[in-house]
């Protein structure tokens, strides 16, 4: 109900109650007058006083002859005023109570929000305007709550990122330091050993470089400052270069990288460095999420349905179907026992996917399930077909 309507309704009730009570009081005064009137003085019977005309005339004569009787009239007026002020006070109190009760709910809710409690539901009011205020306030509370949840999620993501990055950095830095110390201490006493130590140092350095590059790419993506500097290039050459950059990492992990590239040219309009980042991330994952009996990673390419396709196929840990939709989210990691030793920042796939999308292409992973390997697929528009 609208407040104006409610006020109108209350005023009508107040008017009807006052009129009824004043009429009742007046009637009581008349009855008392009839009962008490000294009939002998004006020669009328009490029964005759029941007729309104006789009563009015008799009252007129009586008040003219007894000026002191006006005290009764004043008493009657005082009773009427008392009735009016009592009904007005009671009704006004009721009206204001009903409105302030609803407003108090809003004030209480505002205090709860101020105190940090935003997880409650506001009860509306039967006053339309106040109900609208409650709804507006509740919408505000809900958006504050979701902003707070977003902020908490962001905070969590940031602390996860810092924890993961420090782990990702610590491991290769410690390894590099260990191997350099070993070389300094003369432990690499034959050329084969020295070559191996240097290989490990290079591989660990690649890991650090990849992480730093991913971080700078991510911040540019977040700031929408990642420009694509595209030119026509050969997908097979790019895949070959990516393979060369990861050959040492794979070898140290006991894996062989096999290339099965299409025997015809695959021209694509790409930002060469950014696309190399994509395959770097996919290859790093293929090495990182290997099993103890994993043997090889296959890099292949083909032209299908007028599109360029590149595949990075591994025989590693695989991914279960439930996790599949989430792995592209920034900072998301499949965090179960099998992956617990293989920490990562959770950035690689998200960045790779965004870069591919900026080329008008698609990136997705498929897996037969846990322990059954993973295939990463990148599709790009063929140059000349865009
Ligand atoms: P991370 O830095 O953790 O590797 P990514 O975004 O590259 O982050 O990958 C997200 C998650 O997807 C990883 O935590 C991992 O569990 C899963 N994943 C990605 N690639 C593979 C793969 N080739 N084999 C198995 N799991 C993978």
């Amino acid at each position: 109900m609208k407040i104006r309507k409610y006020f109108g309704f209350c005023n009508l009730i107040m008017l009807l109650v006052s009129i009824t009570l004043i009429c009742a009081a007046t009637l009581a005064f008349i009855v008392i007058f009839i009962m008490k009137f000294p009939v002998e003085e004006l020669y009328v019977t009490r029964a005759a006083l029941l007729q309104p005309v006789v009563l009015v005339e008799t009252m007129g004569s009586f008040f003219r002859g007894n000026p002191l009787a006006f005290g009764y009239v004043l008493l009657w007026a005082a009773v009427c005023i008392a009735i009016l002020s009592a009904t007005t006070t009671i009704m006004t109190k009721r009206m204001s109570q009903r409105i302030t009760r609803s407003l108090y709910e809003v004030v209480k809710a505002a205090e709860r929000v101020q105190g940090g409690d935003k997880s409650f539901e506001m009860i509306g009011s039967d006053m339309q305007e106040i109900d609208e205020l409650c709804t507006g306030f509740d919408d505000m509370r809900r958006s504050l709550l979701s902003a707070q949840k977003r902020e908490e999620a962001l905070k969590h993501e940031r602390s996860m990122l810092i924890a993961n990055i420090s782990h990702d950095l610590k491991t290769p830095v410690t390894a590099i330091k260990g191997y350099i110390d070993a070389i300094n201490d003369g432990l690499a006493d034959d050329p084969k050993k020295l070559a191996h130590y240097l290989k490990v140092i290079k591989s660990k350095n690649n890991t650090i470089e990849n992480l730093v590059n991913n971080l700078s790419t991510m911040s540019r993506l977040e700031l929408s400052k990642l420009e694509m500097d595209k030119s026509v290039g050969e997908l097979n050459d790019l895949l070959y270069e990516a393979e060369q950059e990861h050959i040492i990492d794979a070898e140290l992990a006991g894996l062989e990288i096999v290339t099965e590239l299409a025997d015809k040219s695959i021209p694509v309009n790409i930002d060469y460095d950014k696309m190399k980042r994509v395959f770097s991330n996919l290859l790093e994952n293929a090495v990182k999420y290997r099993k103890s009996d994993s043997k090889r990673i296959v890099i292949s390419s083909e032209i299908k349905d007028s599109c360029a396709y590149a595949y990075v196929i591994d025989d590693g840990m695989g991914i279960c179907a439930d996790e599949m939709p989430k792995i592209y989210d920034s900072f998301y990691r499949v965090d179960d026992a099998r992956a617990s030793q293989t920490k990562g920042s959770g950035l690689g796939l998200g960045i790779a996917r965004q870069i591919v999308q900026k080329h008008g292409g698609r990136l997705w992973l498929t897996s037969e399930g846990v322990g059954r390997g993973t295939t990463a697929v990148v599709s790009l528009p063929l140059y000349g077909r865009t």
Side-chain angles (χ1 to χ4, degrees):
M1 188 192 277
K2 281 199 169 238
I3 292 183
R4 199 153 51 94
K5 256 192 188 163
Y6 175 65
F7 270 46
F9 174 73
C10 288
N11 282 336
L12 183 72
I13 299 273
M14 196 160 72
L15 198 72
L16 290 176
V17 170
S18 308
I19 290 172
T20 313
L21 289 177
I22 287 171
C23 287
T26 311
L27 204 69
F29 268 85
I30 291 171
V31 170
I32 292 168
F33 178 80
I34 294 171
M35 307 279 284
K36 296 266 177 192
F37 181 73
V39 277
E40 316 76 43
E41 283 177 25
L42 288 176
Y43 310 109
V44 281
T45 60
R46 281 192 208 285
L49 284 177
L50 292 176
Q51 294 168 33
V53 183
V54 180
L55 178 70
V56 171
E57 273 176 12
T58 316
M59 278 173 103
S61 327
F62 177 74
F63 283 112
R64 271 193 301 278
N66 297 284
L68 281 180
F70 274 103
Y72 288 106
V73 178
L74 287 179
L75 184 65
W76 170 80
V79 170
C80 290
I81 289 168
I83 287 170
L84 268 176
S85 48
T87 47
T88 311
T89 311
I90 292 168
M91 286 308 284
T92 313
K93 202 172 164 195
R94 278 188 69 95
M95 273 155 46
S96 70
Q97 255 176 1
R98 189 136 170 220
I99 290 168
T100 46
R101 211 182 306 132
S102 305
L103 285 176
Y104 184 61
E105 287 287 325
V106 182
V107 174
K108 244 178 23 193
E111 280 170 2
R112 281 178 81 172
V113 170
Q114 209 178 14
D117 176 13
K118 299 180 194 78
S119 51
F120 59 91
E121 195 80 27
M122 272 203 75
I123 310 159
S125 163
D126 48 0
M127 302 275 113
Q128 195 182 325
E129 288 87 344
I130 298 176
D131 195 52
E132 280 164 12
L133 177 70
C134 290
T135 313
F137 188 88
D138 211 42
D139 288 347
M140 187 189 73
R141 176 196 62 80
R142 236 173 289 161
S143 58
L144 278 174
L145 186 66
S146 65
Q148 186 185 341
K149 279 187 182 158
R150 263 202 312 275
E151 199 184 314
E152 278 164 10
L154 210 68
K155 254 191 204 162
H156 178 71
E157 279 179 358
R158 299 281 154 183
S159 47
M160 287 285 291
L161 178 70
I162 291 168
N164 291 340
I165 289 171
S166 34
H167 181 279
D168 276 11
L169 281 175
K170 215 162 120 195
T171 317
V173 166
T174 315
I176 289 172
K177 191 173 168 290
Y179 280 95
I180 289 175
D181 285 350
I183 293 170
N184 281 337
D185 294 347
L187 290 179
D189 43 13
D190 69 82
K192 232 172 127 186
K193 244 185 187 175
L194 181 65
H196 175 72
Y197 282 15
L198 291 175
K199 257 186 192 176
V200 177
I201 291 172
K202 178 146 180 42
S203 160
K204 299 296 167 194
N205 184 58
N206 282 348
T207 310
I208 297 173
E209 215 178 318
N210 201 32
L211 177 65
V212 172
N213 284 335
N214 270 342
L215 282 172
S216 89
T217 311
M218 184 203 68
S219 64
R220 278 155 174 262
L221 276 168
E222 278 195 349
L223 297 169
S224 307
K225 276 190 180 164
L226 193 70
E227 303 279 315
M228 293 294 143
D229 184 14
K230 291 183 196 168
S231 60
V232 183
E234 173 57 47
L235 183 63
N236 283 336
D237 291 350
L238 178 86
L239 294 174
Y240 179 72
E241 270 185 43
E243 181 227 11
Q244 288 302 307
E245 280 181 11
H246 284 81
I247 229 161
I248 297 176
D249 302 344
E251 195 186 309
L252 289 171
L255 298 169
E256 180 196 6
I257 303 186
V258 180
T259 48
E260 292 173 359
L261 305 179
D263 46 17
K264 53 186 167 196
S265 155
I266 307 182
V268 278
N269 188 23
I270 51 169
D271 182 320
Y272 210 76
D273 290 338
K274 309 273 178 350
M275 278 310 294
K276 215 147 92 183
R277 169 124 314 286
V278 170
F279 289 104
S280 232
N281 287 352
L282 296 179
L283 282 166
E284 197 179 89
N285 281 351
V287 174
K288 208 159 51 168
Y289 300 109
R290 66 184 179 276
K291 291 186 297 184
S292 53
D293 58 349
S294 291
K295 293 206 167 42
R296 51 185 221 152
I297 297 166
V298 179
I299 302 175
S300 63
S301 62
E302 64 172 342
I303 295 178
K304 204 169 71 184
D305 305 328
S306 307
C307 271
Y309 280 87
Y311 306 88
V312 176
I313 307 158
D314 66 54
D315 55 356
M317 291 176 181
I319 304 166
C320 72
D322 288 353
E323 300 284 354
M324 210 45 115
K326 302 178 234 163
I327 56 173
Y328 311 97
D329 296 348
S330 290
F331 312 118
Y332 186 79
R333 305 200 61 254
V334 178
D335 226 358
D336 57 11
R338 78 195 161 88
S340 59
Q341 308 97 318
T342 345
K343 282 249 178 191
S345 51
L347 295 174
L349 284 181
I351 288 173
R353 189 176 237 197
Q354 288 196 56
I355 292 175
V356 173
Q357 282 169 349
K358 280 184 182 283
H359 283 84
R362 293 196 306 132
L363 180 155
W364 70 96
L365 266 61
T366 59
S367 173
E368 296 277 296
V370 175
R372 302 178 71 180
T374 305
T375 298
V377 188
V378 174
S379 82
L380 289 168
L382 260 187
Y383 177 66
R385 306 260 178 168
T386 42

